[in-house]
Every structure is written in C-alpha cells, then in structure tokens.
Amino acid sequence: MKKEILMFAFAIAVFVANAQEKKLPVYGEFGLGFGQTLFMGETKNQVLTALGGTFDPGVTGNLSMAFYYAPEKWNGLGLGSRIKGSAAGSVIGDFGDSYFFNYYNLSFSAKYYAFSGQFNRGFYARGGIGFGQLTTKRANEVTNNYVHQFAVGSTLTGSIGYSFPFNKSAISIEAEFESSSRSGTINGVGEQSIRSGQAGFNLIYSF
C-alpha cells in the first residue's frame, strides 16, 4: 500500500506543479485524518471464516492525496482523482491474537463549492467512486502463526467540509463516510464479498 500511495503522491506533485506553471486551473491536496472502521453485513463472520478468529474493528489513520481540474467558469466544481490509504494499529481479538484491517482505494472524485462558487473557498461537498484492496491479518507472535486475507473491489465515498482560503492555498476540515464491497477467496468456502466502511475526519492542505 505504501508504494502505491507514494507513487501517486509523486505523480500529483509533478502534475500540479507543471499545470500551475502553465497557468492551468489545477489544484492538488494532501490530507491526514482518522476514522472508525465499520463492519457491514456478514463481514465479521467472513473474517472469522477467513482468519480463524474475529475482532472488533478499531480506529485507523488516513492519508489521502488528490488533484482537481477546476476552471473558474465551472463555478466551484472540480473534477479529478484521489487516493486514500487507511492503516490501523493491531487490535486484540479471539484467542489473544493481534488483528489488522488495512485498505486503500483510488477513485474518480468530484468536489463542489456550491455556496461560494469558487474552488477552495467555503463549504463544499465531495463524492467519489473507485476501487482498491484491503488486507486482513491475524498474528500470534508467541506461536509464530500468521494468516492473511486479501480482497479487491469498489468503494463509494462522500464528505462535507469547509475550506479556509489563504493566498495561494487553503486548509480544509471535513467529515467523511465511505462504503466498500470487495471480493476475496476464502479457503474451503470460495469467493466472498466483504463489506466494510469508515466514518472519519480529515485535515487537508490544498494548493
């Protein structure tokens, strides 16, 4: 996950720098935040089947990067792409084992400043649809036992926030909700759909 995020971050930095040098209406952003992972549907039972134990999902740290094309004539609308990675620390589950639930997604994203009509100024709403991967892991250091599970699928995100503009940048705070459905193969069961989500908050620097 770290490799994909770093590559996307470098691509954003280069793309936005070139666009701004050419006076194009392209904006970049970097965000940090946290969120509560949510298990939906039969996910907890599926994790039990896949890993041989289960756990209550914990709080994750979020890292996001995005770019938006937002001409002035679009009156506050920006279209672009966003990547978000969520990494949780281990939590203790069944049998005293440690469990991890980490994921990322790359999405098409739209951001709209309806009230101000200007990008990076005031209240906004953001939506996105994309794809990504999650990794679940059960670890027991004492017995040296490790079980991994991977799943790939789609993610929908929605958020509302407020941007405080500066000279050529802005600081934003936002509340975000996401819902994901990803498929993975479980030994002895076959392919299963794992549904999870997150409710969180982000602090974002835009430029």
Side-chain angles (χ1 to χ4, degrees):
M1 181 173 71
K2 293 181 180 179
K3 181 179 179 181
E4 288 87 351
I5 293 177
L6 289 175
M7 290 178 63
F8 192 77
F10 178 75
I12 286 177
V14 172
F15 177 73
V16 173
N18 288 337
Q20 292 180 344
E21 184 177 348
K22 296 176 181 178
K23 308 296 184 183
L24 297 177
V26 174
Y27 301 83
E29 68 174 41
F30 292 88
L32 293 173
F34 65 93
Q36 173 63 54
T37 298
L38 306 172
F39 282 173
M40 301 174 179
E42 294 297 313
T43 296
K44 196 164 188 178
N45 290 333
Q46 291 163 337
V47 170
L48 171 63
T49 303
L51 302 182
T54 189
F55 61 97
D56 292 322
V59 174
T60 68
N62 297 327
L63 172 64
S64 64
M65 286 148 280
F67 74 88
Y68 293 95
Y69 179 67
E72 188 175 347
K73 64 182 180 181
W74 287 6
N75 298 319
L77 174 65
L79 301 177
S81 184
R82 181 172 182 249
I83 190 170
K84 175 186 173 185
S86 299
S90 64
V91 295
I92 303 302
D94 296 346
F95 320 114
D97 292 347
S98 297
Y99 291 81
F100 302 82
F101 196 86
N102 302 324
Y103 44 95
Y104 73 91
N105 64 82
L106 174 64
S107 63
F108 168 77
S109 182
K111 194 174 182 181
Y112 185 41
Y113 291 81
F115 296 106
S116 69
Q118 298 180 51
F119 201 81
N120 267 353
R121 183 179 294 272
F123 286 102
Y124 67 86
R126 186 211 306 270
I129 180 171
F131 67 94
Q133 174 185 296
L134 73 81
T135 301
T136 59
K137 176 182 178 182
R138 171 186 173 187
N140 189 312
E141 302 291 345
V142 176
T143 62
N144 202 31
N145 182 48
Y146 304 93
V147 182
H148 291 79
Q149 175 69 24
F150 302 94
V152 177
S154 60
T155 297
L156 296 174
T157 60
S159 59
I160 55 173
Y162 190 92
S163 295
F164 301 89
F166 296 98
N167 186 22
K168 294 184 178 180
S169 61
I171 298 292
S172 305
I173 54 174
E174 72 171 26
E176 182 177 29
F177 179 81
E178 69 175 41
S179 176
S180 300
S181 178
R182 304 182 178 99
S183 296
T185 302
I186 298 175
N187 288 339
V189 178
E191 187 170 291
Q192 295 284 298
S193 178
I194 297 174
R195 296 182 58 236
S196 65
Q198 186 191 107
F201 293 90
N202 302 311
L203 179 66
I204 298 168
Y205 172 69
S206 303
F207 57 95

